[in-house]
Amino acid sequence: MKSTRRKAATAAVLAVLALGGTLAATTPASAATPTRYNGACGAGYDVIRATPVHSSQSTIPATTFVTYNSSAGKVCAVTVRTNPGPRVFMEVTLDTWPYSSGEAKDSGSYAGYAGPVYKDVPDDGQCLTWSGSFDIYYNSENGNCT
């Protein structure tokens, strides 16, 4: 990716990070508390988005976290259980839209989390997409468009 594109992508990721902080600060205190990020993506990865997997309006059995490492130029996603327990089907996917070199995906029967999966920072004109599953419950979101 050209230096200008990398700077634009970094700026877009930082903007999403800033927006995420604003959204978190405005969440009502009565909202369900999502899972905490477990650091599975490794050192230098900071959370830029957290998308809860809801099993009801007030129950969040898992959360999909999207993280970013500026020095590596990579994004990472992991779906983390709120309360680790017996193995259950879990999944995490990370991709780009409108074109992709192939999604990064991990799925299986896990006690704690699915992932991590990694992708390069999206090129100009692309959006980052992610999803997570816990048992029969699913979340999906796209953001970080450059």
Side-chain angles (χ1 to χ4, degrees):
M1 185 179 338
K2 294 181 182 177
S3 177
T4 305
R5 283 187 176 175
R6 182 159 306 278
K7 288 178 185 174
T10 300
V13 168
L14 292 175
V16 168
L17 178 59
L19 177 60
T22 302
L23 292 174
T26 60
T27 302
S30 62
T33 304
T35 310
R36 291 188 179 168
Y37 174 60
N38 64 356
C41 292
Y45 282 87
D46 297 312
V47 174
I48 57 172
R49 293 296 288 269
T51 306
V53 179
H54 288 274
S55 62
S56 71
Q57 190 172 16
S58 62
T59 304
I60 301 171
T63 302
T64 301
F65 293 94
V66 180
T67 64
Y68 170 67
N69 184 316
S70 60
S71 61
K74 298 272 188 189
V75 290
C76 172
V78 59
T79 298
V80 182
R81 276 179 89 157
T82 301
N83 297 307
R87 292 180 172 272
V88 65
F89 176 79
M90 293 179 69
E91 180 177 80
V92 63
T93 63
L94 187 60
D95 207 353
T96 52
W97 180 88
Y99 58 91
S100 169
S101 60
E103 73 179 6
K105 178 179 180 177
D106 181 43
S107 62
S109 182
Y110 299 112
Y113 62 94
V117 294
Y118 300 87
K119 295 278 287 182
D120 290 330
V121 170
D123 290 332
D124 287 343
Q126 284 190 293
C127 296
L128 189 64
T129 64
W130 59 90
S131 66
S133 296
F134 175 86
D135 196 15
I136 62 170
Y137 308 105
Y138 172 81
N139 71 23
S140 176
E141 194 166 338
N142 61 26
N144 188 32
C145 298
T146 60

